[in-house]
Amino acid sequence: MSHSAALRRFWPGLLALAALTAPAFAQEVKPRILLIFDTSGSMGFDIESGLSTGGDNSVEYPGNGGISRLFVAKRVIRSIVETTAEVEFALMRYPQFEDVDLNNGIGREGFNGYAGLDENPLNYEGSCNGGTFQDPDFPLRPYALAARFEPDNENRILAWIDNVEDYPANRELRAEGPTPIVESLRLAGIYFGQELRRDDAARCRRNYVVLLTDGAESCVIDDPQSAVNRAVENLRATDVPGLDDPVDIRTFVIAFSVDDLVARALDEAAEAGGATPDGRAFRADDEAALRRAFVSILAEAIPGEVCNGEDDDCDGRIDEGALNACGLCGETPAEVCNEADDDCDGLTDEGVRNACGRCGEVPAEVCNTIDDDCDGLVDEGVANPEGNCAPPTDEVCNGIDDDFDGRVDNRPGTDEPITRGCSTDTGACEVGNEYCIMGRWGGCDGVLPTDELCNGEDDDCDGITDEISRPCGPAVNIGDIGQCRVGRQDCTFIACLDDPDACEDGGWSAVCDDARGPSEEECDGIDNDCDGMADEGLFNACGECGMAPPEACNGLDDNCDGRIDEDANCPRGYLCWFGECVLPCVNGECGGETFCRAAWPGNSFCHPDPCVGVDCGETFACSADRNGCFDACMGVQCAAGEVCDPRTGACVAEDCHADGCGAGQRCEGGACLNDPCAAVQCRADEFCREGECVAVCRNVQCEPGQRCLDGQCVPDDCGGRCLRGERCDPSDGACVADPCRDVVCPRGQACDDGACSPDAPCVHIRCPAGTVCVDGSCTDHTPAVEPTLGRVVPDAGPDLGPRPDFAPDIDEGPEPDGRLFDEGPRDGSGEDDGEEPGGCDCRADGGGPAGWWLLPMVLFGLSRRWARR
């Protein structure tokens, strides 16, 4: 045996020894695939006819019975995500706006095929621009990324494609909008850049984009094909800090139900993407073709070890599983007849020697009284009927006259067919015979095995009697759902003959093992009634078992009824006000280091901040350190072209926003224009808005369930409960924090949705004394449902100041001149400017400015999204 042959023989053993002594290897790094899902309006078209389905086959929008492309694509991707553990997936759609009932279909006929949107609007509206790749908390900005790369994110992805929506808790992919392929690929690059920066395996991991689209780019007008190709090529050179070379993110393209012209355009994008071997997009016109496309993509994307001296699957090992038995690349060499172990299996020339144990073809049998072909027979097939050289052979069932007697398949010397035994004498079976007819064995005349029955017989003739059971118990028609379990009932036919009372009819045991049926649903996390749902109907408003927790004065919705601090307990004489227990003012005065501040007419409370609610006018600012209003611009020197903003003390550009305009004008966009309200004279209970007198909401007590708007009581989504410093969120009827409550704006601007703007609705509105401007209307914040004074509680908590020795229904003292707040001094002198006579100083010691605007106190734990205004 040669040296090389000996090495090949012992090579498998050497590999096994190396495996036992080698260190543990790293876990394989999974590839990442970002699915860009086409959510354009054409995805609502029928997969076969190409006509609009009027929906998308979901629960909310079933459509007219056609099968939409969106439905087919969701079903395929759902099965891929559920069954592919070798890949990490993320999901991105085409950019869309979101908000409750955002899209009623008006003006969107070319962007969706949904019917009846006037009665059942969509929560989505497609966009050519993705302001961000993911920002679901800002509904007025489009976003694209639905599910990130993260461990165990399958359910997050599946929730988007399960054809059921509970907005906003459970969103759904909808067919609405254009086809912004370039923008989607740009957002994909931004997202991959973020992920790669924090990916420890970025040097080794494979990253892909799968673009599934049923159309070509529709948002880029000038040379859209080149724009798509550049976007794909940019992904292939993604720069990542810390890596020497750019990361090659390759793109697969699936042309879903498109014509040849669009397919050729997508082929160019696929070639630029560099993911498919032939450089073409996958064509798919039905569900089966779409599944085949994804199977091909996964086959390309999932790394496999190749015999090339490199660690292809990034698991710390090289060429594992790719070397053949001889430890070399390529197929294992075939064994040949050469006295060597060619296939390295420890055997020499196995399976290649002929029946005579030599190399080469088996010698042919010749009539020489020798077994030439080494099959144990001598001169078979070469003797003649006369016995020359070899005797006749026995007849076998093959349709040939083997014994040369002129008859086929017959018993020797007769015309009867040859036979063989069949069946068995075990159990109910009986031995019989099979007959050879036309070269084939016919039926058995014995008794053959049958299916086992519960009858005391061994019907299947396996030596065991009645070894069968059947399902039983109360869950037979339910199945193993929830706590229910289908039991098993054994056949005890023979035992039942001795004790029929212990059995059911037919010989079945009366015992049903392991059976368990449904019971009344309990709040225990178990599906007791076996309907596929656990604890349904048993949770309290907070989604937990048991009674809802009581409401506490903490600025939180403790009992989950959509209201905050209603009927919350405070010490006797205290009132729960914005998460704090506060004392009412007594005759306009407060004790200790607190100040009297008003909420609405007839209600005033003590608070330690002297600037809570103080309005110092347009020329002064309020400071707690100075106990009132002061000139913030005193001593401030501004550069040429700038002036000091008296409310902030900051230097701003010198235009009409800072300097103001002349009589009869107002500042708009930095220019002075005619003021439509300049010559309008309104009554004391009115204000001017764009030249028209509008009633104010002052001392208007509406019924519960209403609020005041322009002097009239109108229905309110929040039931009239919202107080000063709060706004109503119409999406769920809850009072939430006003984002403008702590915002102080410079001259010529007003707060709108938490930010100062020269275009805010309140910029050019001057409200009468006692009211303030909110969203372009004047109000004194009189609520329809007032808070109540606190009841006695065992533990008053922290020291809240002196407790009054009187009952809760105390006299809070008169309101000065019926005014809700005082506008404060205009010239820093502490004197009123004369526009509104009177005034009030609510400090116990009589000093400081008179302020009646009660800003919100600390709102703890409010996390609800502020609906757009």
Side-chain angles (χ1 to χ4, degrees):
M1 182 183 299
S2 67
H3 177 72
S4 59
L7 181 59
R8 289 196 299 271
R9 169 171 291 185
F10 293 104
W11 183 256
L14 294 175
L15 289 178
L17 179 61
L20 292 175
T21 58
F25 294 104
Q27 185 178 2
E28 180 178 341
V29 177
K30 295 181 180 180
R32 284 179 170 173
I33 293 180
L34 174 61
L35 298 169
I36 299 182
F37 197 114
D38 186 337
T39 51
S40 63
S42 58
M43 287 293 284
F45 292 172
D46 189 281
I47 187 68
E48 294 183 356
S49 68
L51 301 177
S52 175
T53 63
D56 56 15
N57 308 108
S58 65
V59 173
E60 296 79 18
Y61 303 97
N64 56 21
I67 303 301
S68 69
R69 300 171 184 171
L70 184 71
F71 179 79
V72 172
K74 284 181 181 179
R75 184 158 58 187
V76 172
I77 291 178
R78 187 163 59 247
S79 66
I80 294 297
V81 172
E82 287 175 338
T83 58
T84 307
E86 299 85 359
V87 173
E88 292 184 12
F89 290 101
L91 179 64
M92 178 180 286
R93 67 182 179 189
Y94 287 166
Q96 290 182 342
F97 292 93
E98 284 188 17
D99 203 357
V100 176
D101 295 344
L102 171 69
N103 188 350
N104 62 5
I106 296 177
R108 303 291 296 178
E109 292 79 11
F111 293 106
N112 69 70
Y114 290 88
L117 292 186
D118 54 338
E119 297 180 356
N120 185 22
L122 286 169
N123 300 318
Y124 312 87
E125 183 175 298
S127 170
C128 279
N129 298 314
T132 176
F133 57 86
Q134 185 178 41
D135 204 352
D137 293 328
F138 290 87
L140 296 184
R141 299 173 63 185
Y143 73 95
L145 187 65
R148 298 173 175 272
F149 292 119
E150 54 186 349
D152 302 323
N153 68 343
E154 292 85 358
N155 290 336
R156 188 182 301 275
I157 295 176
L158 297 177
W160 280 90
I161 56 177
D162 60 2
N163 298 308
V164 177
E165 178 177 353
D166 182 16
Y167 189 85
N170 179 15
R171 294 174 166 88
E172 189 69 13
L173 295 186
R174 298 293 185 200
E176 213 296 342
T179 307
I181 295 177
V182 174
E183 179 67 357
S184 299
L185 292 171
R186 183 186 71 84
L187 295 175
I190 295 174
Y191 175 57
F192 264 116
Q194 293 184 1
E195 288 294 336
L196 289 167
R197 281 194 292 272
R198 54 174 176 259
D199 187 4
D200 294 335
R203 297 178 183 275
C204 191
R205 190 189 305 278
R206 296 186 180 186
N207 297 280
Y208 298 94
V209 169
V210 174
L211 171 64
L212 186 153
T213 180
D214 73 339
E217 169 67 41
S218 66
C219 289
V220 176
I221 304 302
D222 297 329
D223 196 3
Q225 186 62 59
S226 296
V228 172
N229 294 346
R230 285 195 302 272
V232 174
E233 292 167 353
N234 289 339
L235 286 172
R236 300 203 60 187
T238 301
D239 290 326
V240 179
L243 297 184
D244 297 332
D245 299 319
V247 175
D248 184 4
I249 301 173
R250 302 195 176 190
T251 301
F252 295 96
V253 180
I254 300 179
F256 186 39
S257 193
V258 302
D259 57 30
D260 290 337
L261 180 63
V262 174
R264 287 194 294 272
L266 296 177
D267 281 343
E268 286 192 36
E271 183 177 5
T276 52
D278 61 355
R280 299 180 62 187
F282 293 98
R283 294 289 299 270
D285 294 326
D286 54 28
E287 182 171 347
L290 188 57
R291 290 185 184 276
R292 289 195 296 270
F294 271 101
V295 170
S296 299
I297 288 172
L298 293 177
E300 289 291 332
I302 298 174
E305 196 68 18
V306 179
C307 197
N308 57 4
E310 297 181 1
D311 181 12
D312 301 286
D313 56 6
C314 302
D315 64 352
R317 298 177 292 174
I318 296 176
D319 293 346
E320 76 283 359
L323 298 174
N324 59 35
C326 297
L328 304 173
C329 291
E331 296 292 332
T332 303
E335 192 75 11
V336 295
C337 197
N338 59 1
E339 299 296 331
D341 180 13
D342 303 285
D343 56 4
C344 307
D345 63 352
L347 304 175
T348 300
D349 293 345
E350 74 283 1
V352 295
R353 295 181 184 271
N354 60 36
C356 297
R358 296 188 296 272
C359 294
E361 296 292 332
V362 177
E365 191 76 12
V366 296
C367 194
N368 58 3
T369 68
I370 298 174
D371 181 12
D372 303 284
D373 56 5
C374 306
D375 63 352
L377 302 176
V378 175
D379 295 342
E380 75 281 3
V382 295
N384 55 41
E386 289 75 22
N388 293 331
C389 193
T393 60
D394 294 332
E395 196 75 14
V396 295
C397 187
N398 56 8
I400 300 174
D401 182 12
D402 302 287
D403 56 5
F404 302 102
D405 65 352
R407 291 167 290 188
V408 176
D409 299 338
N410 61 303
R411 290 194 292 175
T414 71
D415 292 330
E416 299 295 326
I418 56 178
T419 63
R420 68 179 182 182
C422 61
S423 192
T424 177
D425 285 331
T426 303
C429 296
E430 295 181 2
V431 171
N433 288 305
E434 287 182 306
Y435 296 86
C436 182
I437 300 174
M438 300 297 293
R440 296 180 179 275
W441 293 107
C444 180
D445 61 6
V447 179
L448 298 173
T450 60
D451 293 337
E452 193 74 9
L453 302 175
C454 188
N455 57 5
E457 300 285 343
D458 180 13
D459 303 287
D460 57 3
C461 307
D462 62 352
I464 306 174
T465 301
D466 296 339
E467 73 281 12
I468 58 175
S469 63
R470 67 180 183 182
C472 60
V476 168
N477 296 325
I478 299 175
D480 293 341
I481 299 175
Q483 74 172 14
C484 289
R485 294 293 181 270
V486 177
R488 303 301 300 180
Q489 189 177 28
D490 294 330
C491 174
T492 55
F493 186 90
I494 296 176
C496 291
L497 298 177
D498 297 330
D499 188 6
D501 294 337
C503 300
E504 294 184 3
D505 293 342
W508 295 96
S509 170
V511 178
C512 185
D513 294 326
D514 301 325
R516 185 172 184 179
S519 62
E520 186 176 349
E521 195 70 17
E522 300 177 11
C523 201
D524 55 3
I526 299 174
D527 178 14
N528 307 103
D529 57 3
C530 307
D531 63 351
M533 299 180 291
D535 302 341
E536 68 275 12
L538 300 179
F539 290 127
N540 59 36
C542 296
E544 300 174 350
C545 293
M547 299 293 291
E551 196 74 10
C553 186
N554 55 8
L556 302 177
D557 181 13
D558 302 285
N559 58 7
C560 307
D561 65 349
R563 298 179 294 167
I564 297 174
D565 294 344
E566 79 282 2
D567 298 326
N569 287 331
C570 280
R572 175 177 296 177
Y574 283 79
L575 180 72
C576 182
W577 186 249
F578 290 101
E580 290 185 275
C581 291
V582 297
L583 278 170
C585 301
V586 180
N587 295 324
E589 297 183 349
C590 295
E593 295 297 322
T594 59
F595 305 85
C596 187
R597 294 291 177 259
W600 64 84
N603 288 273
S604 53
F605 305 97
C606 299
H607 197 275
D609 186 354
C611 284
V612 168
V614 173
D615 185 352
C616 295
E618 296 182 354
T619 58
F620 289 89
C622 186
S623 168
D625 295 335
R626 304 188 185 190
N627 293 328
C629 299
F630 74 103
D631 185 356
C633 289
M634 183 177 294
V636 176
Q637 297 294 326
C638 294
E642 295 183 333
V643 294
C644 179
D645 186 337
R647 293 195 174 207
T648 63
C651 293
V652 296
E654 185 176 10
D655 58 18
C656 63
H657 288 307
D659 296 341
C661 294
Q665 293 185 316
R666 70 185 189 188
C667 183
E668 292 188 33
C672 292
L673 304 177
N674 290 333
D675 186 353
C677 289
V680 177
Q681 296 294 326
C682 297
R683 298 197 307 266
D685 59 349
E686 293 179 335
F687 69 96
C688 181
R689 182 170 61 204
E690 297 300 325
E692 300 290 337
C693 291
V694 183
V696 301
C697 289
R698 181 166 54 193
N699 298 329
V700 179
Q701 182 74 42
C702 296
E703 296 294 329
Q706 296 182 324
R707 65 183 178 92
C708 181
L709 177 65
D710 292 345
Q712 302 294 322
C713 291
V714 297
D716 182 30
D717 292 321
C718 291
R721 298 187 305 271
C722 298
L723 305 172
R724 182 180 302 166
E726 293 182 329
R727 289 297 182 89
C728 178
D729 185 347
S731 66
D732 56 7
C735 295
V736 299
D738 185 347
C740 289
R741 67 181 187 270
D742 296 323
V743 178
V744 177
C745 295
R747 178 187 299 171
Q749 297 187 32
C751 182
D752 184 19
D753 202 15
C756 293
S757 170
D759 300 319
C762 290
V763 169
H764 301 299
I765 291 179
R766 298 295 177 264
C767 292
T771 63
V772 293
C773 182
V774 177
D775 288 344
S777 183
C778 296
T779 179
D780 64 358
H781 292 285
T782 299
V785 180
E786 299 184 12
T788 57
L789 287 174
R791 298 178 293 276
V792 177
V793 294
D795 182 5
D799 184 12
L800 300 174
R803 182 172 299 180
D805 297 327
F806 38 74
D809 53 346
I810 60 175
D811 180 11
E812 297 176 345
E815 289 293 330
D817 297 333
R819 298 174 63 189
L820 183 63
F821 68 94
D822 186 77
E823 294 184 353
R826 298 302 178 97
D827 57 1
S829 64
E831 300 294 335
D832 195 279
D833 61 6
E835 294 181 4
E836 292 290 339
C840 177
D841 187 337
C842 288
R843 289 189 55 186
D845 57 5
W852 295 90
W853 172 265
L854 179 62
L855 289 175
M857 301 179 186
V858 180
L859 291 171
F860 298 102
L862 284 179
S863 59
R864 297 183 181 272
R865 174 179 57 83
W866 170 241
R868 60 174 180 167
R869 295 160 53 188

